[in-house]
Amino acid sequence: ILEPCIALAKQFKTGKVRCFDFWRIEDVAPHRAAIDEKLRTAAETAGKQGILLILENEFACNTATGRESARAMNAIKTPHLALNWDPGNAVMRGELDAFPTAWDLIPKNRIHHCHVKNAIKGTDGKIEWAPVDKGYVDWVAQFRALQKMGYREVVSLETHWHGGGTPEQSTRISWAGMKKCLQD
């Protein structure tokens, strides 16, 4: 699906295509080198066409956490692969210190997109989605860290939390929380 995605990126006049590194498997270690090579090859293919491939750390995939993101970015040496940093996804995978501890491991020059959402421990003890301004990710501090590093790329709200009654109201609550964090 890479070639059609590159064509769509060009049609929409964007220089980026977001990707994931396959559904999470229990023991990725025997397959990690092959996954890295697929990502490197795909990134080189995209790069030859002026497109930056952006790997999202996704809780359901093999690169889910900040630590796994740092490992991937340090292992795959190509200027055509970058990171879509999503600390909420890292928390959902159980990395409760995604920011600032895992964040500190990530090569900052490789971050070219950022998703904003949050997660908390629910009453049943399981991690669940939350509005942006409530949860493990300290978005005020995360936004300050992005600003400090000179980040000038996209930061987008992801509306995974649905506790506001309707999807629209949930989005409005998360957006209000994001704006408050940005203002603070």
Side-chain angles (χ1 to χ4, degrees):
I1 64 170
L2 183 59
E3 290 298 333
C5 289
I6 290 170
L8 283 169
K10 288 179 177 183
Q11 183 179 346
F12 285 105
K13 299 185 183 351
T14 181
K16 301 175 186 173
V17 168
R18 180 179 59 153
C19 72
F20 305 95
D21 66 349
F22 308 101
W23 295 118
R24 193 163 186 98
I25 53 179
E26 192 171 321
D27 182 11
V28 72
H31 310 284
R32 191 69 250 186
I35 292 170
D36 289 350
E37 182 55 24
K38 284 288 186 191
L39 285 170
R40 190 196 62 72
T41 301
E44 291 297 325
T45 298
K48 287 177 185 169
Q49 298 185 56
I51 300 293
L52 183 63
L53 193 63
I54 309 286
L55 175 65
E56 179 175 347
N57 64 293
E58 162 59 45
F59 69 93
C61 293
N62 291 302
T63 296
T65 67
R67 288 166 177 83
E68 291 168 348
S69 298
R71 192 226 53 85
M73 292 297 110
N74 289 319
I76 306 167
K77 301 290 187 189
T78 173
H80 307 296
L81 181 70
L83 179 65
N84 176 66
W85 172 232
D86 190 326
N89 278 344
V91 169
M92 187 57 75
R93 178 43 72 185
E95 188 177 62
L96 304 184
D97 63 348
F99 182 87
T101 305
W103 160 264
D104 288 340
L105 304 173
I106 298 169
K108 307 304 182 277
N109 64 325
R110 302 283 300 273
I111 300 171
H112 285 263
H113 197 96
C114 181
H115 283 170
V116 180
K117 59 182 179 275
N118 218 330
I120 59 171
K121 193 171 284 188
T123 55
D124 62 358
K126 293 182 181 175
I127 302 295
E128 60 186 41
W129 298 119
V132 171
D133 58 337
K134 294 169 181 58
Y136 285 102
V137 181
D138 179 349
W139 276 105
V140 172
Q142 177 68 86
F143 286 139
R144 284 185 182 138
L146 287 165
Q147 182 183 34
K148 182 180 178 185
M149 68 176 255
Y151 186 77
R152 295 271 185 243
E153 301 281 346
V154 173
V155 175
S156 63
L157 174 65
E158 271 201 319
T159 56
H160 284 28
W161 176 71
H162 299 290
T166 67
E168 179 182 347
Q169 191 57 28
S170 298
T171 300
R172 288 182 183 278
I173 292 167
S174 281
W175 174 230
M178 182 175 168
K179 285 194 299 188
K180 183 180 182 320
C181 291
L182 283 164
Q183 290 164 344
D184 290 350

